[in-house]
Amino acid sequence: MLRDSFGRVATDLRVSLTDKCNLRCSYCMPPEGLDWLPNAQLLTADEVVRLVTIGVERLGITEVRYTGGEPLLRRELTDIVARTTALRPRPQVSLTTNGIGLARTAGALAAAGLDRVNVSLDTLDRDTFKRLAHRDRLPDVLDGLAAAHHAGLRPVKVNAVLMRDVNRHEAVPLLRWCLERGYELRFIEQMPLDAQHGWSRDDMVTADEILELLSGSFDLTPDDAEERGSAPAERFLVDGGPARVGVIGSVTRPFCAACDRVRLTADGQIRNCLFAREESDLKSALRAGAGDDELAERWVAAVAGKRAGHGIDDPSFLQPARPMSAIGG
Ligand code: SAM
């Protein structure tokens, strides 16, 4: 098992398949993009599946989420998903995506066994989308969401990051729009993970503020906290339920004590936290010919050193060198 020194057990693996993205969301990367990892440094599909297989078959991973960058940019995604859902014990397999291209691929992904998708959608206004993401792709995202719902990848979850002076005023319309379509909306506090280091605590729209905004229009009652477990989102029944909304207070309401996540970057590094400053290099060992036993041992050792918390509130906090797109969100 992947147990750390505080007794937490990692069972939820987030795998970044690429650091590249076709959007340029301002809380993530600059308009000109980033220096992408060279292809030779990316894990191949076979390497990804080999490491995921070790995680599932030997180390107790029960959930695998593919992310990025934008995972739909990986041509082999459907094949990777099919090979993951064929593992035993079968893990839950999900995808975090910006939805661009999902209209074409949702059916094939569902047929490959994909269980769920989280689609990022911060605004319903085309001009705001262009301003925020520096690309005019809102219609593609909306088509992708509808296709995922149609393909049975339900409940479709929607992730939204609110920013002051950009889309804060859309909290209520976004929730109403998601409720009408049966999508489950989760608001995520903006985290200091942008490549430009432009995050500021004062500008961040906090979980408290989001709940206050929503409470003006909806009756929110906390969902059973017992069921929250390691889930990052605090969930609320909307107007008595069954519809729900989630708020992920990564910064102001950290959930590190219940964290069960471990991350594999697109270039084969194990990270214990989005905010970790250490990584453990599985790719070099794998490419040097390490067997499954050795890779599993290295992985166990990497997780053993997981820190107690992300430390954003600590005066000594330093933003990680890698931006979100390179870690895998
Ligand atoms: N491209 C995919 C997508 O858009 O969902 C997957 C990767 S993206 C990094 C994963 C999630 O991280 C998205 O929901 C995005 O909104 C969120 N995200 C990116 N940067 C963030 C930040 N600085 N703070 C909070 N969430 C962030």
Side-chain angles (χ1 to χ4, degrees):
M1 285 214 288
L2 296 169
R3 187 186 295 275
D4 67 35
S5 63
F6 300 93
R8 294 168 300 188
V9 177
T11 54
D12 182 348
L13 173 62
R14 309 276 160 125
V15 182
S16 172
L17 292 176
T18 174
D19 60 328
K20 295 190 189 69
C21 193
N22 39 11
L23 295 181
R24 299 285 182 269
C25 303
S26 59
Y27 48 73
C28 193
M29 64 172 83
E32 65 276 15
L34 297 167
D35 290 332
W36 311 121
L37 290 165
N39 278 344
Q41 281 189 32
L42 296 184
L43 294 179
T44 64
D46 285 347
E47 288 172 335
V48 168
V49 174
R50 177 159 174 220
L51 292 177
V52 170
T53 302
I54 292 171
V56 169
E57 291 185 348
R58 296 171 178 240
L59 299 173
I61 293 295
T62 56
E63 282 187 61
V64 180
R65 174 178 301 228
Y66 290 110
T67 178
E70 177 44 51
L72 288 176
L73 294 178
R74 263 311 270 261
R75 258 192 299 265
E76 317 96 319
L77 177 63
T78 307
D79 173 54
I80 292 172
V81 167
R83 292 164 72 188
T84 309
T85 58
L87 295 175
R88 295 294 175 269
R90 187 205 192 279
Q92 284 288 303
V93 184
S94 58
L95 184 70
T96 302
T97 170
N98 61 30
I100 298 171
L102 199 52
R104 257 185 299 109
T105 49
L109 287 166
L114 186 72
D115 295 297
R116 281 194 301 100
V117 285
N118 284 49
V119 179
S120 303
L121 176 70
D122 302 319
T123 177
L124 295 166
D125 179 79
R126 196 160 171 171
D127 287 332
T128 306
F129 190 99
K130 266 198 275 184
R131 189 151 65 93
L132 202 162
H134 295 96
R135 299 284 185 275
D136 186 13
R137 305 300 296 269
L138 179 62
D140 301 294
V141 177
L142 301 186
D143 289 350
L145 272 162
H149 189 70
H150 183 69
L153 298 169
R154 299 180 196 171
V156 170
K157 294 195 179 171
V158 173
N159 291 345
V161 177
L162 293 182
M163 281 168 295
R164 210 168 295 290
D165 305 329
V166 180
N167 61 343
R168 178 184 174 280
H169 60 283
E170 288 197 69
V172 168
L174 271 168
L175 178 53
R176 195 159 281 136
W177 187 87
C178 285
L179 293 173
E180 282 164 12
R181 286 158 183 79
Y183 305 157
E184 190 173 317
L185 178 61
R186 297 129 47 96
F187 291 98
I188 311 175
E189 275 181 350
Q190 187 184 352
M191 295 178 275
L193 283 169
D194 57 310
Q196 317 86 297
H197 291 225
W199 179 88
S200 98
R201 188 176 296 269
D202 293 341
D203 281 347
M204 180 183 62
V205 182
T206 63
D208 281 352
E209 195 177 337
I210 294 165
L211 289 171
E212 200 182 311
L213 284 168
L214 299 178
S215 298
S217 300
F218 303 98
D219 179 29
L220 300 184
T221 41
D223 206 359
D224 192 351
E226 299 272 300
E227 281 177 22
R228 183 176 177 194
S230 59
E234 282 177 70
R235 294 166 91 208
F236 299 84
L237 295 173
V238 182
D239 294 336
R244 291 179 175 81
V245 64
V247 178
I248 304 183
S250 321
V251 178
T252 64
R253 302 179 177 197
F255 33 86
C256 305
C259 177
D260 64 356
R261 277 168 285 285
V262 60
R263 293 168 191 277
L264 176 65
T265 65
D267 58 346
Q269 311 293 309
I270 292 291
R271 290 179 70 98
N272 285 317
C273 175
L274 281 172
F275 298 95
R277 302 192 57 77
E278 310 84 20
E279 299 183 337
S280 302
D281 184 4
L282 286 193
K283 183 189 68 190
S284 298
L286 185 154
R287 290 191 179 170
D292 288 358
D293 285 345
E294 183 187 339
L295 291 169
E297 276 164 28
R298 283 174 179 262
W299 197 338
V300 167
V303 172
K306 181 164 170 163
R307 290 176 189 263
H310 59 41
I312 299 177
D313 273 327
D314 191 303
S316 64
F317 174 76
L318 284 175
Q319 187 170 332
R322 286 195 198 235
M324 176 76 120
S325 57
I327 298 170

